[in-house]
Amino acid sequence: MAADDLRRSLLALPKTETHLHVEGALPYQILTGWDPARYAANPPFRRPDYRYETFPDFERILLENALPWFTTAERYYEATKVMFAKHVAENVRYVETSFHLPVTKFINVPGPEIIAAIRAAAPRGLEVRVFTGMLRSDLAGNLRSTIDQLHTWTDLAGVDLHGFEQMPTEPDTAKVWARLRAAGKVTKCHAGEFDGPARVREAIEVLGVNRIQHGVRAIEDPAVLRLAADRGVTFDVCPISNIRLKVFRSMAEHPLRRLMQAGVRCTVSTDDPLCFANSVIGEYANLAGAMGFTRAELAQVARNGWEVASVTPDVRQSALAEIARWERAA
């Protein structure tokens, strides 16, 4: 199928985005419009053939580009308004996005104000759930008092552990995550990206999560795959991110299809489009092209996103019915 025809077809598919970092999704055109002398129109790190040497290298580039912008709640509103408009243009109808909790200390803005700004930017027809993410070490630092209040943040959908995965998990995390789930918050954990399947097992068995961000290196241990499938755990996978960060050398090696064949529910998202210059439709086009996904497989990826989306049963069933019609269409 020609690229334009594929894009038109994928545009008709109702999609979700369930692994997206607000700071890492800052639309780059905002930076070039704000300070063109500082932000080049096409920097090397946004080119498709660029590979980040290490996770710290990636993190440095992300923070150098994102943090100068995110200084107020109003800046979060401005950025996410543009970000969400891109979702609407690609027929993405549900988004789970997280902001970096330490930023509340950097800029002295309370988390609920950031959440309100992000939610205010969501256009009609796009369901947005706001999470907050933190480093594994933050529970032992000066953010602990804030973390202990997260269960009281009414509009916070949930929490996520992210950042450098090889950092040890603080012993209190399981207790804190359990308390947050008891308060109705969704708990997530980055695992199985830069560290192996043991971190996926830890996230499931110790932290009690059923939403793993990435999870792809679970493919290295059949027992962990069975655990994830048996527990109904979802992997929110970001294939282009995995290649650009050298988790895998090529799309041909990417295990998304094998994960799904093993019974693990997988969604597909963009992770940090500021750094990867990717989009949701671009991710699906990559599955169809570089990975050879069939129409039925693409439909299943979309279906997986709606199965875990925090929406009403009527909204979910309507989206699933639309996906079924898309799948049947020639």
Side-chain angles (χ1 to χ4, degrees):
M1 184 182 293
D4 288 346
D5 291 339
L6 176 61
R7 182 178 177 84
R8 279 192 292 271
S9 177
L10 293 173
L11 184 61
L13 184 63
K15 295 170 289 295
T16 65
E17 169 115 81
T18 52
H19 182 165
L20 181 68
H21 303 276
V22 171
E23 294 84 6
L26 174 64
Y28 192 73
Q29 71 265 33
I30 287 181
L31 292 178
T32 56
W34 176 48
D35 191 345
R38 181 175 180 180
Y39 299 100
N42 186 29
F45 71 85
R46 282 177 54 83
R47 296 171 189 167
D49 61 348
Y50 186 85
R51 299 294 182 267
Y52 294 90
E53 289 302 319
T54 64
F55 183 82
D57 174 52
F58 157 76
E59 196 169 44
R60 174 184 57 79
I61 290 176
L62 189 158
L63 295 177
E64 285 177 354
N65 285 273
L67 290 189
W69 173 263
F70 288 105
T71 56
T72 64
E74 289 74 19
R75 287 280 183 88
Y76 273 89
Y77 172 84
E78 292 176 42
T80 53
K81 188 177 177 69
V82 176
M83 181 177 88
F84 292 148
K86 292 175 181 287
H87 284 115
V88 171
E90 293 197 342
N91 197 18
V92 176
R93 302 182 192 174
Y94 175 87
V95 174
E96 293 178 0
T97 188
S98 66
F99 69 95
H100 190 44
L101 188 63
V103 173
T104 62
K105 297 293 186 183
F106 301 161
I107 65 176
N108 197 31
V109 175
E113 290 187 21
I114 293 175
I115 295 169
I118 295 170
R119 285 170 56 84
R124 184 183 299 275
L126 180 66
E127 294 280 348
V128 173
R129 304 290 179 262
V130 183
F131 289 66
T132 193
M134 65 201 75
L135 305 178
R136 292 172 186 269
S137 58
D138 283 338
L139 276 86
N142 64 2
L143 276 173
R144 182 56 187 264
S145 61
T146 301
I147 293 169
D148 285 341
Q149 294 301 313
L150 293 178
H151 65 285
T152 69
W153 292 9
T154 304
D155 291 328
L156 181 70
V159 296
D160 176 31
L161 281 185
H162 61 207
F164 191 50
E165 186 185 346
Q166 293 169 338
M167 186 180 295
T169 304
E170 289 297 321
D172 272 359
T173 306
K175 180 176 67 176
V176 173
W177 256 223
R179 183 173 70 240
L180 286 163
R181 282 193 296 274
K185 309 301 184 186
V186 176
T187 54
K188 298 183 179 183
C189 181
H190 278 59
E193 181 190 18
F194 286 95
D195 211 342
R199 298 313 291 267
V200 176
R201 181 181 292 279
E202 174 197 50
I204 297 170
E205 293 187 334
V206 179
L207 301 185
V209 307
N210 59 18
R211 296 288 297 281
I212 301 289
Q213 307 295 271
H214 297 295
V216 287
R217 288 188 58 192
I219 199 68
E220 299 169 16
D221 187 339
V224 173
L225 281 183
R226 287 194 298 272
L227 173 68
D230 291 347
R231 296 280 184 93
V233 173
T234 298
F235 290 179
D236 294 312
V237 180
C238 305
I240 290 175
S241 167
N242 293 158
I243 302 305
R244 297 286 301 277
L245 289 170
K246 300 201 296 187
V247 178
F248 302 102
R249 289 179 298 180
S250 69
M251 287 299 173
E253 295 182 8
H254 197 282
L256 178 60
R257 176 182 277 117
R258 287 179 288 151
L259 292 169
M260 293 173 63
Q261 289 172 340
V264 179
R265 180 190 292 118
C266 295
T267 69
V268 166
S269 297
T270 59
D271 200 3
D272 295 284
L274 168 64
C275 294
F276 307 131
N278 53 343
S279 68
V280 175
I281 276 190
E283 294 283 349
Y284 275 79
N286 176 68
L287 299 186
M291 298 176 72
F293 269 46
T294 65
R295 194 176 188 89
E297 288 174 317
L298 294 172
Q300 186 58 53
V301 171
R303 191 175 295 120
N304 290 344
W306 286 104
E307 287 176 354
V308 299
S310 179
V311 295
T312 65
D314 286 350
V315 168
R316 179 177 292 106
Q317 288 306 313
S318 176
L320 294 176
E322 197 170 340
I323 292 168
R325 291 193 294 274
W326 183 90
E327 183 178 359
R328 290 192 299 266

